[in-house]
Amino acid sequence: KAGVTQTPRYLIKTRGQQVTLSCSPISGHRSVSWYQQTPGQGLQFLFEYFSETQRNKGNFPGRFSGRQFSNSRSEMNVSTLELGDSALYLCASSFQEGPGELFFGEGSRLTVL
Amino acid sequence: AQSVAQPEDQVNVAEGNPLTVKCTYSVSGNPYLFWYVQYPNRGLQFLLKYITGDNLVKGSYGFEAEFNKSQTSFHLKKPSALVSDSALYFCAVRDGNTGKLIFGQGTTLQVKP
């Protein structure tokens, strides 16, 4: 069974641009969540989606948005990029909502210049 | 507010010795507790979880964790460390009321031969 796939793995953007990151969950998984990982702030929760509905949202500005499609694939978008948005963005999937374990992708490393 | 604390940035242990990585938590409602491991430039891998039941939870790669409700702790343990256990370890708690998954800051485990 294929794992969680995130694309692109690496990208470089400049301040003010926008970026879209993609996540394909494990087949059959309906819940997708996103996390931002930085050396200073650690792992911070961005959003969680289940069946195309946002279930939870972290404390990030409105520049960060996401969505989930009917096939459970998810995208997140960051507009008007800032230097501080440089991070590893991790996507995780699980079969259902609730306290089950998450399966993480290898992440998309975003560098903002 | 819910939180997770990993009081040690780094733990050093000799190969063959027992290891402990500490974690304490604070949540409203019932805590669902997890340990994940991250190898360099990789996503997180699930090790084990506590939802309910026995306070001693066994997980992957010989790891186990002990849930202590009175001390609000969930320490990760392994009887005999391997050099290959060297990695970044994250404790996480899923708030039973909000569903959000909150990660600790991470502890780097260094196992020396």
Side-chain angles (χ1 to χ4, degrees):
Chain A
K1 200 178 225 184
V4 177
T5 304
Q6 291 188 245
T7 56
R9 288 291 314 279
Y10 302 91
L11 65 166
I12 299 174
K13 294 284 187 180
T14 56
R15 281 179 297 174
Q17 288 187 310
Q18 74 164 11
V19 65
T20 299
L21 308 177
S22 178
C23 172
S24 294
I26 290 172
S27 178
H29 284 194
R30 297 167 63 190
S31 177
V32 172
S33 50
W34 288 88
Y35 296 84
Q36 182 197 64
Q37 185 177 20
T38 59
Q41 298 297 317
L43 275 161
Q44 292 190 287
F45 172 78
L46 281 157
F47 345 87
E48 180 181 12
Y49 290 89
F50 181 80
S51 294
E52 303 178 67
T53 302
Q54 188 178 91
R55 298 299 200 185
N56 277 300
K57 189 177 189 304
N59 297 321
F60 279 81
R63 300 185 296 107
F64 291 80
S65 62
R67 59 178 175 169
Q68 187 180 32
F69 301 96
S70 58
N71 61 358
S72 294
R73 191 177 70 85
S74 177
E75 288 182 348
M76 66 163 283
N77 183 277
V78 188
S79 62
T80 320
L81 285 166
E82 301 177 359
L83 296 179
D85 297 333
S86 294
L88 180 67
Y89 290 87
L90 292 166
C91 169
S93 74
S94 61
F95 179 67
Q96 59 187 14
E97 289 181 295
E101 60 264 38
L102 300 179
F103 296 83
F104 283 82
E106 298 203 338
S108 293
R109 184 167 295 281
L110 170 65
T111 301
V112 181
L113 302 176
Chain B
Q2 56 267 34
S3 64
V4 179
Q6 293 180 242
E8 301 153 319
D9 290 337
Q10 181 157 329
V11 170
N12 298 308
V13 63
E15 188 174 31
N17 283 359
L19 69 88
T20 298
V21 183
K22 296 180 180 178
C23 172
T24 59
Y25 66 90
S26 174
V27 293
S28 55
N30 293 322
Y32 303 118
L33 298 157
F34 303 82
W35 277 101
Y36 287 86
V37 60
Q38 186 178 33
Y39 297 98
N41 300 313
R42 304 294 297 274
L44 277 68
Q45 295 178 29
F46 169 79
L47 281 178
L48 51 79
K49 67 180 178 184
Y50 172 83
I51 304 298
T52 186
D54 291 339
N55 290 342
L56 185 63
V57 179
K58 294 190 182 296
S60 306
Y61 313 119
F63 284 94
E64 56 189 29
E66 186 170 8
F67 170 66
N68 187 315
K69 187 174 182 178
S70 62
Q71 296 185 7
T72 60
S73 67
F74 189 56
H75 300 331
L76 181 70
K77 300 181 179 184
K78 187 173 183 181
S80 179
L82 300 172
V83 172
S84 57
D85 293 330
S86 299
L88 181 58
Y89 290 80
F90 289 97
C91 180
V93 61
R94 190 170 181 117
D95 188 309
N97 290 335
T98 68
K100 289 185 179 181
L101 189 63
I102 308 297
F103 284 88
Q105 284 294 101
T107 299
T108 298
L109 173 65
Q110 187 73 37
V111 181
K112 297 185 177 178

